[in-house]
Structure formats: C-alpha cells, structure tokens
Amino acid sequence: MRLDKNMKITIIGLGNLAEYMRPCYEGILGENMKTNVIAIKATERNLEEKRRAFGFEISVGNTLEVLKRQQPDMIFLSPPPKEVPPTTQNVLVPYYAFLREQGKELPMLLNFAPDPPAAYFYDTLGQDILEVNILPNMLNKIEDIDCSGIGLNYVTFDARHKWQGEPLEFLKRFLAPVGGFLDSPQEMVQELLSTKVVGNPVFDMCCQIADILKERGVILPESRIASCMRAAHRAQFDDLSPDPYHCSTQDVPEEYRPFVEQAILSWYGGLLDYARSVGVQPPVDKQATRFKIELQLLAVQLQPRAAIEHTHSTHATKGGVLEHGTILYNTLCKEKFDNAFKAYLDTHTLDENFFACWREQAKQNAASVTAHCRKLSK
C-alpha cells in the first residue's frame, strides 16, 4: 500500500466535508492530486463547477466500476451518513471480494461518519481490512489565522483492530492540516460530539452581553468579550498549543469582567462535568471538551457576527444535532443569561447560585444532545 505522494485515492461523496478535507489529501499528494484522485458524486449538480475547482476526475455514479478501474490505496467514504450502510453493502462488499479474488492488496478505508461504528466494517468487509471512523475538526482556519493546532479530530478504531506502525503515523500526518489526533473510544463518540455542539453557544453569550451593554449606552464589541473569555478559558490549562492570536482578560473593563469570566468558566465546567459523568477518562476529558470553546471564541474575535450566524445556519442540518443544540440554548438558556447579566449590572454582585445552575445547564444540554444523537443513529 502506497502511503506517499504516489498513492491513489477514491472519494465516495464529494460534498462539503470532502471539500473541507482537501488540505489533507492535497497535502499528501501535491500536484499528483489531479491524476491520483477520483471522486464520485451521486448527481450532476454543480458537476462542472467542481471539476474546475478540483482538477481531478469526477464520476457521477458508477462507484464500483471506478474502484475496480482505479484500485486505490485509500477509500475516502463521505456520502450522507444514511448512505454509508447501503454503499458498504452494494459497493464495498463486492469490491473487497473482487480484490481478494485477484490477490490484490486491500485499501485503507476512512469513514467520515459517526455511525455505523468501526466494528461494522470489520464484521461486514472482513477482519483483514484497515478501517477507521473520523469526526474531523471542522474549523482549521479563521480568516488568515491557522488554528489547526487548537482543533482535534476524533478518531475511532474497532477495539479489536487498533492501527499501529506506518498506517497509524500516516493517518496522523494525513489529518494534521485540519487538527490534532484524538483516539476516541467508540462508546464515547456521541458524548464527545455533544460537548462540541454545546460549545457553540459561547458565541451567543458574547453577543448577548454586547447587546445588553449597548442598550445601556456602553459599546463593547463582542470580539473583545470573546478575547476576555478565551483568555480566562486558556488560563485553566498548562498544556495548550501556542496561542495563534492575542487574547486578554483586559479587553473587558474591570466592572464587567467578573461576570464575563465566570460565564465561560461555568459553561465549560458543565461540559467537563458531563464528560466525566459518562466515563470519559483523563486526559481525554479535558482535551475533548475545551477545544471547541476556544475555536468558537477565536472565531468571534476574528469574524463579524453576521458571518458566524451564516455559518451556523448553513451547517445546521434540519433535525440534526447542531440544530438541536441551538434550539436547547434558545429555549432554555438565552433568557436566563440575559436576566442574570442585567441583574449583575444592577447589583454589581455575582450570583453564585446562577452560575451553579449555568454549569448544570451546560451538562444537561450535552446530555440532551447525546440522547438526540442516539435517536438519529437508530
């Protein structure tokens, strides 16, 4: 199996995720990407546009025929999640059987969906394959700032088939352009995904504080509030990567700072409580819960509010986990947070009871998102 610039890759499903992951396969192949990658789309929608953008061969359908013709070293599996099982049964099962009949080496299989689990592929395709499930970090660059050193890719192996040696090192190298490598136990994937989702509303918190202050005649941009929150958040850890962009608690005036800092520390504390309550062990508990909050706050520092709102609206699949997390925050949290900050401005006193409840709310939201994940995967 070639694991260098000469390897061949078949991408099944050329959607948003495959486009986002382009730095990974282009980083390995370089100029060879144009000749060594073939992608398969389900429809002709935007076909010519994508051919111009990528420069490699794109087929509409004919997945099994393409695989037999190209015989790739890697299969990059990224169709809509509901299409993964039928693609496996109707395409991958006969293709792997074809390779075995020919005495050919089997390709590594990278599946970019949380479900079905890695064990499904070994049980379906055979114990001699190399397969891994990956939930990639989806924010590796904000404006012109490289933040891949903050993000983590959740990587899940079948417990019976942990990768080792050259394939494992290749996988880490392959994923590096979009983030670090976090070995995530299969039984914890949905829980860890939930903590990412519930990290998103730190954007809302920054905007709510800015809006309430504006109502009272104080102009404090959400970017500065995010800077203060991110600095307070980073101060909890001693093993973080270098800061890609300046942040400081001093960006918020002293009279508002206690509330701003405690808001983020309590929310993060709730996510950490949740992770530990479901059995996530150190150091994964902190690694998996902290990075989404920092990435989101960095985005608020660097991007206009409208741009982030647009990103959230386009990334939230109807009925999906991100939409569910947003609904939870809007219905259960937003008004409580507004009222708490207004009370703080009126009294200049931190309400410790509120922050204890705020911490518990983050934990409960994460639990609800996990339940929604389980419902979707049935």
Side-chain angles (χ1 to χ4, degrees):
M1 184 187 302
R2 292 162 294 192
L3 300 177
D4 55 27
K5 66 179 182 179
N6 297 310
M7 71 186 300
K8 294 183 178 181
I9 300 173
T10 300
I11 299 173
I12 302 176
L14 190 61
N16 290 335
L17 189 144
E19 292 188 38
Y20 172 78
M21 297 295 288
R22 176 173 175 165
C24 297
Y25 47 87
E26 189 169 20
I28 294 293
L29 299 176
E31 283 297 315
N32 287 349
M33 182 183 78
K34 295 180 180 179
T35 56
N36 289 24
V37 174
I38 301 178
I40 296 110
K41 277 176 53 61
T43 71
E44 293 188 358
R45 184 171 177 266
N46 300 326
L47 179 59
E48 294 306 319
E49 176 186 333
K50 288 185 181 291
R51 282 175 173 162
R52 288 192 297 270
F54 287 95
F56 50 64
E57 179 183 343
I58 302 175
S59 174
V60 177
N62 301 313
T63 306
L64 182 57
E65 291 80 1
V66 170
L67 286 170
K68 287 182 176 180
R69 169 164 58 89
Q70 191 197 28
Q71 297 192 19
D73 303 285
M74 175 199 291
I75 297 174
F76 187 110
L77 189 59
S78 60
K82 67 179 182 180
E83 295 299 322
V84 173
T87 299
T88 303
Q89 295 290 343
N90 299 330
V91 175
L92 298 184
V93 167
Y95 178 60
Y96 277 75
F98 163 80
L99 291 177
R100 291 187 182 98
E101 289 171 4
Q102 299 288 319
K104 300 288 183 66
E105 191 171 20
L106 304 180
M108 63 169 54
L109 176 61
L110 275 54
N111 173 42
F112 291 87
D115 195 67
Y120 164 83
F121 294 93
Y122 285 94
D123 294 340
T124 304
L125 298 175
Q127 302 294 305
D128 53 345
I129 70 168
L130 273 178
E131 191 278 344
V132 65
N133 283 20
I134 301 168
L135 288 180
N137 167 48
M138 295 299 290
L139 193 60
N140 69 315
K141 194 170 187 179
I142 304 173
E143 300 302 317
D144 60 347
I145 302 297
D146 180 358
C147 54
S148 59
I150 296 174
L152 289 173
N153 302 291
Y154 294 165
V155 179
T156 303
F157 301 101
D158 182 335
R160 302 166 297 176
H161 299 277
K162 289 275 189 175
W163 291 20
Q164 296 179 341
E166 186 180 8
L168 178 61
E169 293 308 309
F170 167 82
L171 183 60
K172 292 178 180 179
R173 190 168 75 252
F174 179 82
L175 293 173
V178 296
F181 185 99
L182 185 68
D183 190 342
S184 309
Q186 176 60 49
E187 64 274 14
M188 293 296 168
V189 170
Q190 292 174 326
E191 287 80 358
L192 295 179
L193 175 61
S194 299
T195 65
K196 287 178 63 176
V197 169
V198 181
N200 269 318
V202 298
F203 161 66
D204 298 81
M205 296 177 210
C206 294
C207 294
Q208 288 172 258
I209 291 171
D211 289 347
I212 290 170
L213 288 175
K214 186 176 181 180
E215 290 173 1
R216 300 194 177 205
V218 178
I219 301 301
L220 182 62
E222 53 265 23
S223 59
R224 288 176 55 187
I225 297 166
S227 174
C228 176
M229 284 190 175
R230 196 163 70 86
H233 180 64
R234 284 182 65 89
Q236 299 177 90
F237 312 106
D238 57 11
D239 60 344
L240 290 172
S241 59
D243 192 348
Y245 190 78
H246 171 77
C247 62
S248 172
T249 57
Q250 303 301 309
D251 280 338
V252 166
E254 188 174 358
E255 59 189 302
Y256 313 125
R257 202 178 303 153
F259 185 95
V260 171
E261 292 182 357
Q262 196 56 49
I264 193 63
L265 297 180
S266 297
W267 193 256
Y268 170 71
L271 297 186
L272 187 61
D273 291 345
Y274 173 71
R276 289 172 172 171
S277 74
V278 296
V280 180
Q281 299 298 311
V284 176
D285 56 349
K286 290 185 177 181
Q287 292 171 338
T289 53
R290 72 191 181 197
F291 83 90
K292 179 59 177 179
I293 283 180
E294 179 165 13
L295 283 174
Q296 188 67 285
L297 291 172
L298 181 59
V300 182
Q301 280 190 266
L302 296 170
Q303 294 182 312
R305 182 190 296 201
I308 299 174
E309 289 172 341
H310 175 73
T311 298
H312 285 185
S313 66
T314 56
H315 284 192
T317 303
K318 184 70 175 175
V321 292
L322 182 55
E323 182 190 65
H324 184 73
T326 300
I327 292 170
L328 284 174
Y329 186 83
N330 288 339
T331 56
L332 301 178
C333 307
K334 209 154 197 170
E335 185 177 357
K336 292 177 184 177
F337 191 79
D338 280 350
N339 291 339
F341 186 50
K342 290 174 182 177
Y344 172 77
L345 293 177
D346 293 338
T347 64
H348 304 289
T349 302
L350 284 177
D351 183 348
E352 297 300 335
N353 182 60
F354 165 74
F355 287 112
C357 292
W358 195 237
R359 181 169 182 148
E360 180 61 24
Q361 187 69 64
K363 180 181 177 181
Q364 293 302 321
N365 282 18
S368 180
V369 172
T370 297
H372 191 69
C373 283
R374 298 200 191 289
K375 189 187 304 181
L376 292 176
S377 65
K378 287 183 178 179

